[in-house]
Amino acid sequence: MSTSSSLWQPFKLGRVELPHRLAMAPLTRSRANADGTPGLLAATYYGQRASLGLVITEGTQPSADGQGYPNTPGIHTPEQIAGWREVADAVHAGGGTLFIQLMHVGRMSHPDNTPHRRRPGAPSAISADQDIFTATGPKKTPVPRELSMQDIQRLAPWISTPSAPAAIAEAAA
């Protein structure tokens, strides 16, 4: 079978049956509500693209500490989970499969962009020394707080194990 023809053949990815090997690549939209809840615009956007098959969402913060930019979606509150449920329903109604891309931005954040206004957490206390967009305009990224082992143990389940997927599966099922 040629490479080009195998692109269009049905494909099984883990437990997911896909119509082919192509996917809609993630693209940050920054269209979530201020509280990180995906709204009707997100459901419409992803639902319109569902016929491709596999739709991979924009980066979605698994915790409030993971947010780097204004109006990006999260999946760590009941309201956010409900918003992703609407997105998933729209994608499924269009015949597609939805993968939610989890993204923790680390030091690429600013306290103004998080609900708790804390300095971002990162592996080391070294600033990215970059301008980052905030609601009041560009600001320099601060020196992040270095994550302790306790911080990492608290964050790791949200990124790598089935404790967050209880919420994620609820949104994507």
Side-chain angles (χ1 to χ4, degrees):
M1 179 182 311
S2 74
T3 302
S4 62
S5 66
S6 66
L7 276 176
W8 297 105
Q9 298 302 311
F11 177 68
K12 186 169 184 176
L13 180 61
R15 297 177 299 171
V16 179
E17 297 283 343
L18 299 171
H20 48 69
R21 294 175 179 263
L22 301 177
M24 185 184 102
L27 175 64
T28 298
R29 307 303 307 154
S30 296
R31 293 180 177 171
N33 298 327
D35 67 353
T37 301
L40 180 59
L41 191 57
T44 300
Y45 174 81
Y46 289 114
Q48 289 172 334
R49 288 149 179 84
S51 64
L52 177 66
L54 176 59
V55 176
I56 304 171
T57 72
E58 63 197 289
T60 302
Q61 57 260 8
S63 70
D65 285 323
Q67 185 169 3
Y69 309 94
N71 299 98
T72 55
I75 191 162
H76 52 89
T77 70
E79 296 80 13
Q80 293 166 350
I81 292 166
W84 281 115
R85 161 60 65 204
E86 292 180 22
V87 173
D89 288 347
V91 170
H92 296 159
T97 299
L98 184 70
F99 281 12
I100 296 175
Q101 176 191 196
L102 298 180
M103 177 185 75
H104 188 293
V105 297
R107 69 182 184 163
M108 288 305 298
S109 185
H110 192 279
D112 289 359
N113 290 345
T114 63
H116 49 58
R117 305 282 189 234
R118 286 192 295 258
R119 280 187 305 143
S124 60
I126 300 171
S127 174
D129 195 31
Q130 299 291 313
D131 287 334
I132 191 163
F133 184 78
T134 71
T136 58
K139 293 185 179 180
K140 282 286 186 201
T141 53
V143 173
R145 58 190 165 79
E146 184 172 344
L147 294 177
S148 68
M149 283 304 292
Q150 185 179 21
D151 292 329
I152 293 167
Q153 289 168 348
R154 181 179 49 80
L155 289 171
W158 277 101
I159 298 170
S160 64
T161 67
S163 63
I168 295 165
E170 172 66 23

